Amino acid sequence: MLTSMTGMASMSGASGPYDWSMELRSVNNKGLDIRTRVPEWLTGFDQIARKTISSQVARGSLQFSLKISHGIEQGQRQIDLDRLEQILSNAAVLAERAATKGVSVAPLSLSDIAAQNGFVNVEANEAAQQDVIQVMSGYLPELLAQFQTTRKAEGAALHRVLTDSLMQTEKLITQAQDTLAGRAENFEDNFRAVLARLKQDVDPERLAQEMAILAVKSDVTEEIDRLQAHVAAAQLLLSSELPSGRKFDFLMQEFNREANTLCSKSGSAALTAIGLEMKVLIDQMREQVQNVE
């Protein structure tokens, strides 16, 4: 069964003295890209989250976020003296330059200093940090399980769409085969009609040679055989338990290449129409495949 690269899961709760909420969401991507947003004071938890996610997800652009309200994080704040000195020096230079231009500058407020990171939170003790990390790490598997459930549900929908598209492709391939039966006779009739309009006679042996050359150039047997092989390969990928999005994407390129060749070599309106319909179907499948993990 296929797995989609699009999914979302969220959890929230209260554990001891803190409230928390975490969320994991993803969209399609060529590779695996995991971005995390966690409180800075939970040192190392972002790496734990990345490792847990990457153990079960192969592709996608993922965003994990954790918000936590805790006494440790909301503790008292203290002044960063080095940063404060830099802020005040910059303010003095600004006021001096402004005065030369006849412009007055309002004095700095505490909110101005805070906005310039002039205060820092009191660091939580290491034991408390580890307790929080351990609790949050325990919830990660449950969040990931919910996340995978949403991705597999959408993957099931993709599976149904692609299965139906492959069945339609098989029908078009059969129709293309049916049009090949009378193509040689049609080529000769059309060629003779052209010669008649031009009022030219052609030696029967020369006509046979021209017909043979035209038959070789317009032979689409190999294209049809490869299209059938591609359908079989796609059906195998649909039944695979492994991530198959990249293989599917490459296979769609091969489908499109054979359909293009089929149209260019068709030599008949009926076969061209079948080839064009096949190309539309392949483009639709390609769009769906972009979301397969």
Side-chain angles (χ1 to χ4, degrees):
M1 186 62 69
L2 299 179
T3 299
S4 171
M5 282 191 281
T6 303
M8 195 276 284
S10 61
M11 295 178 61
S12 62
S15 300
Y18 51 86
D19 298 325
W20 56 267
S21 65
M22 62 174 69
E23 181 182 89
L24 179 62
R25 60 174 64 234
S26 71
V27 294
N28 59 350
N29 193 52
K30 290 184 178 180
L32 179 61
D33 179 27
I34 302 174
R35 301 180 183 183
T36 60
R37 294 182 63 183
V38 302
E40 293 183 2
W41 58 277
L42 288 181
T43 307
F45 184 71
D46 59 330
Q47 295 301 319
I48 295 174
R50 288 174 183 273
K51 185 176 180 180
T52 303
I53 295 169
S54 61
S55 67
Q56 295 190 38
V57 179
R59 289 179 68 201
S61 177
L62 293 91
Q63 291 185 334
F64 170 81
S65 65
L66 169 65
K67 296 179 181 179
I68 189 165
S69 175
H70 187 273
I72 297 173
E73 186 186 28
Q74 302 297 329
Q76 296 180 348
R77 308 184 82 191
Q78 65 184 18
I79 298 173
D80 184 340
L81 295 177
D82 292 337
R83 180 62 179 161
L84 179 61
E85 182 65 28
Q86 183 180 3
I87 292 172
L88 294 176
S89 297
N90 289 340
V93 172
L94 177 62
E96 183 181 350
R97 292 290 182 90
T100 62
K101 303 293 184 180
V103 178
S104 61
V105 178
L108 285 178
S109 65
L110 289 178
S111 60
D112 293 329
I113 295 174
Q116 296 294 318
N117 299 324
F119 298 98
V120 294
N121 289 330
V122 176
E123 292 294 332
N125 64 73
E126 185 175 347
Q129 286 182 6
Q130 293 305 313
D131 288 343
V132 175
I133 289 175
Q134 183 176 0
V135 171
M136 292 296 99
S137 298
Y139 285 109
L140 281 176
E142 184 178 348
L143 177 72
L144 194 54
Q146 293 181 14
F147 174 71
Q148 290 290 67
T149 297
T150 63
R151 297 171 84 228
K152 289 184 181 298
E154 187 167 335
L158 290 173
H159 188 280
R160 290 190 294 270
V161 171
L162 289 172
T163 298
D164 183 63
S165 296
L166 287 173
M167 290 177 61
Q168 294 182 53
T169 303
E170 283 186 301
K171 291 179 181 179
L172 290 173
I173 293 174
T174 300
Q175 292 176 21
Q177 288 176 312
D178 293 341
T179 64
L180 301 183
R183 283 175 85 228
E185 292 80 1
N186 290 337
F187 285 150
E188 183 170 351
D189 291 342
N190 292 337
F191 193 66
R192 287 184 180 277
V194 171
L195 293 178
R197 287 197 298 270
L198 296 176
K199 298 181 180 180
Q200 290 188 5
D201 294 327
V202 178
D203 181 73
E205 185 177 343
R206 176 65 184 278
L207 178 62
Q209 291 177 350
E210 293 295 333
M211 289 298 99
I213 293 173
L214 186 59
V216 171
K217 288 183 177 180
S218 60
D219 182 33
V220 293
T221 304
E222 289 186 11
E223 285 72 20
I224 290 178
D225 289 343
R226 281 195 286 267
L227 283 168
Q228 290 176 323
H230 294 339
V231 169
Q235 290 171 335
L236 285 176
L237 289 178
L238 283 176
S239 62
S240 174
E241 295 296 327
L242 300 175
S244 54
R246 295 189 185 202
K247 292 181 179 179
F248 250 126
D249 190 35
F250 174 76
L251 197 56
M252 289 302 107
Q253 296 178 39
E254 295 302 305
F255 264 113
N256 195 56
R257 180 178 292 108
E258 301 305 331
N260 282 334
T261 306
L262 189 69
C263 288
S264 65
K265 296 170 66 175
S266 69
S268 71
L271 189 55
T272 298
I274 292 171
L276 291 175
E277 188 174 350
M278 195 178 296
K279 281 173 59 64
V280 172
L281 194 58
I282 292 167
D283 284 340
Q284 293 173 350
M285 284 194 290
R286 259 184 110 169
E287 290 180 5
Q288 300 296 331
V289 163
Q290 299 306 310
N291 293 317
V292 177
E293 183 182 27

